Amino acid sequence: MPSLRDTIADDLRTQITAGHLQAGARLPSEPRLAAQYKVSTPTLRNALALLQAEGLIDKIHGKGNCVRHPLLRLTYAVSHLTPNADLHATIRTTNLRARGDLIPLLKVPSRTPLTEFLCVTHQGERPHSLARIYVPRDLVPAELPWPRPGRAETREVVTARLPTPEEASTLRLSTTLAVLAITRVSADITGRVVEAACLTLPGERAEALFTTHHKIEERTTEG
């Protein structure tokens, strides 16, 4: 038998998918919804949390719960995000010194001068992805964007995890919604790390694409 939480979520989900609750529409207040469904406020919030995790609604500070506008699905492939239509980025630059996890990530001594590029992509007003890019300060490019030339090797590690509070706030995500975390490290021909990037993509609208090229050797048979 479905729980009260699931029954409420099913009803609201049906209203959204059927178009009775349109994108951008504000849901009634939580006390009003709780009274409508004759449940406690915590039960109602658990139902709303399910819809937030599915990407159907957003809880916006000062506005309440709203039906989310459809968003582009991101595909991460060969160090790039696609599609890039309708997306724009804001970039903030900060000078800092290597510490903590940045030391082994960039293979540099402690307090090595670095530049951090904080990039947030948006679709309209909605945050879509987050990237922190670290470059040794003596290698900072004169112009954007990336990637810079001179890379001999790029290694990427993909992890699914829950967002940090900062990531959830920046991307306006529920803290219960998984994100795709990609750590990308690029080195030059000498093995020096020229750039390290930490990307965070919302799990409900992101996928990673991997393509493997196989070399097929032809064998000839002597008569």
Side-chain angles (χ1 to χ4, degrees):
M1 181 175 178
S3 66
L4 288 174
R5 178 196 68 171
D6 292 331
T7 299
I8 296 168
D10 286 343
D11 183 55
L12 291 172
R13 187 186 298 109
T14 298
Q15 294 185 55
I16 293 171
T17 55
H20 301 309
L21 288 172
Q22 304 252 336
R26 184 185 304 179
L27 272 61
S29 67
E30 292 181 359
R32 184 176 171 184
L33 281 173
Q36 175 183 327
Y37 288 106
K38 299 179 181 180
V39 297
S40 65
T41 300
T43 298
L44 185 278
R45 287 177 176 166
N46 286 337
L48 295 177
L50 288 178
L51 301 179
Q52 291 171 16
E54 294 171 16
L56 292 176
I57 67 172
D58 280 324
K59 186 168 186 176
I60 303 173
H61 180 70
K63 293 185 66 176
N65 295 288
C66 300
V67 180
R68 178 186 285 187
H69 287 275
L71 293 171
L72 289 174
R73 187 168 184 82
L74 294 173
T75 298
Y76 183 82
V78 197
S79 302
H80 288 86
L81 285 173
T82 58
N84 55 16
D86 299 325
L87 296 180
H88 64 278
T90 59
I91 301 176
R92 187 182 70 196
T93 304
T94 304
N95 288 328
L96 47 79
R97 293 187 178 272
R99 64 186 185 281
D101 293 340
L102 294 179
I103 295 172
L105 189 64
L106 284 100
K107 298 180 181 179
V108 294
S110 175
R111 299 191 58 76
T112 295
L114 306 174
T115 296
E116 177 193 68
F117 297 89
L118 175 61
C119 307
V120 182
T121 61
H122 294 75
Q123 180 188 356
E125 297 182 356
R126 174 79 190 187
H128 219 279
S129 64
L130 169 68
R132 293 183 180 274
I133 302 171
Y134 300 94
V135 181
R137 204 172 303 167
D138 62 313
L139 297 177
V140 172
E143 297 181 0
L144 302 179
W146 291 270
R148 300 191 311 110
R151 302 176 181 206
E153 179 184 77
T154 296
R155 301 187 66 182
E156 296 177 303
V157 177
V158 181
T159 306
R161 59 170 173 77
L162 294 178
T164 65
E166 181 183 7
E167 291 168 342
S169 175
T170 300
L171 295 173
R172 301 181 196 170
L173 298 175
S174 167
T175 54
T176 62
L177 177 65
V179 296
L180 202 61
I182 302 170
T183 301
R184 185 181 69 223
V185 178
S186 298
D188 64 15
I189 195 171
T190 69
R192 182 187 181 186
V193 175
V194 296
E195 177 188 299
C198 302
L199 294 83
T200 305
L201 310 176
E204 96 281 12
R205 58 178 186 271
E207 58 188 14
L209 173 65
F210 300 93
T211 302
T212 301
H213 298 280
H214 298 281
K215 183 178 179 181
I216 301 176
E217 296 182 357
E218 295 185 3
R219 295 183 179 180
T220 60
T221 303
E222 294 183 3

